[in-house]
CSV table of all heavy atoms in Angstrom, one decimal:
chain,number,residue,atom,x,y,z
A,34,VAL,N,47.0,133.4,125.5
A,34,VAL,CA,48.2,133.3,126.3
A,34,VAL,C,48.7,134.7,126.8
A,34,VAL,O,48.6,135.7,126.0
A,34,VAL,CB,49.4,132.7,125.5
A,34,VAL,CG1,50.6,132.6,126.3
A,34,VAL,CG2,49.0,131.3,125.0
A,81,VAL,N,48.2,133.5,116.2
A,81,VAL,CA,48.4,135.0,116.2
A,81,VAL,C,49.3,135.4,117.2
A,81,VAL,O,49.1,135.2,118.4
A,81,VAL,CB,47.1,135.7,116.3
A,81,VAL,CG1,47.3,137.3,116.3
A,81,VAL,CG2,46.0,135.3,115.3
A,97,ALA,N,72.4,145.0,127.8
A,97,ALA,CA,72.2,143.7,127.2
A,97,ALA,C,71.0,143.0,127.7
A,97,ALA,O,70.3,142.3,127.0
A,97,ALA,CB,73.5,142.8,127.4
A,116,ARG,N,57.4,127.8,114.6
A,116,ARG,CA,58.1,126.5,114.4
A,116,ARG,C,57.4,125.3,115.0
A,116,ARG,O,57.1,124.3,114.4
A,116,ARG,CB,59.5,126.5,114.9
A,116,ARG,CG,60.3,125.3,114.4
A,116,ARG,CD,61.7,125.3,115.1
A,116,ARG,NE,61.7,125.1,116.6
A,116,ARG,CZ,62.7,125.0,117.4
A,116,ARG,NH1,64.0,125.1,116.9
A,116,ARG,NH2,62.6,124.8,118.7
A,171,GLY,N,51.3,124.4,102.9
A,171,GLY,CA,50.0,125.0,103.1
A,171,GLY,C,49.8,125.9,104.3
A,171,GLY,O,48.7,126.1,104.7
A,178,SER,N,50.9,145.3,110.5
A,178,SER,CA,51.7,146.4,111.1
A,178,SER,C,50.8,147.6,111.4
A,178,SER,O,50.4,148.3,110.6
A,178,SER,CB,52.7,146.9,110.0
A,178,SER,OG,53.4,148.0,110.6
A,196,ALA,N,51.8,159.9,122.3
A,196,ALA,CA,50.7,159.4,121.5
A,196,ALA,C,50.3,160.4,120.5
A,196,ALA,O,50.1,160.1,119.3
A,196,ALA,CB,49.5,159.1,122.4
A,215,ALA,N,40.3,143.2,112.8
A,215,ALA,CA,39.6,142.9,111.5
A,215,ALA,C,40.6,142.5,110.5
A,215,ALA,O,40.3,141.6,109.6
A,215,ALA,CB,38.9,144.2,111.1
A,260,GLY,N,57.9,177.5,81.5
A,260,GLY,CA,57.8,178.5,80.5
A,260,GLY,C,58.8,179.7,80.6
A,260,GLY,O,58.7,180.6,79.8
Side-chain angles (χ1 to χ4, degrees):
V34 180
V81 180
R116 188 187 68 176
S178 173

